[in-house]
Amino acid sequence: MNLYRQDQKLNLKVQYYKGIPLQVIQRAYKHAKAKRFTLNGTNQNVWIPNKHLETDGTLKVGENIDYIFKRSYNQLKLSGIVWDPRDGLYYLMEKQKNNKYLEVK
């Protein structure tokens, strides 16, 4: 295994941004300008620029990263998250037996 990956200190805990569960993916980010996060515990992922993150991959307090999720709308939908543009909130959806999504409250 790459020694750089073993020495890297990343926050591998699940973080939440406006109710969206995010978890950083452990990999070598030696010269990368962004880090990759999984959405809602699925295999869907988004890249978040380092300017919004601490050095260990923790989201900075008060950062607005809505633009990342707006342009990755399909990844949100596939991971069970829906963004409502009317109120600007994100909703986790639960899959029913007949493959329709319902809002979880």
Side-chain angles (χ1 to χ4, degrees):
M1 184 172 193
N2 188 354
L3 291 177
Y4 182 77
R5 288 186 181 185
Q6 291 176 350
D7 294 339
Q8 203 173 28
K9 303 291 186 220
L10 290 175
N11 181 6
L12 299 176
K13 296 179 183 175
V14 176
Q15 304 174 50
Y16 292 91
Y17 175 76
K18 293 187 178 180
I20 300 174
L22 299 168
Q23 186 175 15
V24 70
I25 296 174
Q26 176 86 27
R27 58 180 288 182
Y29 295 108
K30 190 171 185 178
H31 298 293
K33 295 181 181 179
K35 290 183 177 49
R36 203 164 91 184
F37 287 78
T38 59
L39 293 169
N40 198 17
T42 63
N43 64 348
Q44 301 300 314
N45 59 66
V46 293
W47 287 85
I48 300 177
N50 288 337
K51 67 181 182 179
H52 301 297
L53 304 171
E54 303 290 342
T55 55
D56 66 347
T58 304
L59 291 169
K60 288 183 181 176
V61 178
E63 289 289 317
N64 185 0
I65 56 173
D66 283 339
Y67 71 95
I68 294 168
F69 300 112
K70 287 177 187 175
R71 72 175 181 214
S72 60
Y73 179 76
N74 286 335
Q75 282 87 356
L76 281 175
K77 187 176 176 183
L78 290 172
S79 67
I81 301 168
V82 174
W83 177 69
D84 188 4
R86 293 173 291 183
D87 56 6
L89 298 176
Y90 299 93
Y91 297 99
L92 293 176
M93 306 305 270
E94 183 179 302
K95 202 169 189 178
Q96 259 190 346
K97 291 179 184 177
N98 57 0
N99 292 336
K100 290 186 179 178
Y101 290 96
L102 289 177
E103 182 177 339
V104 177
K105 292 186 179 185

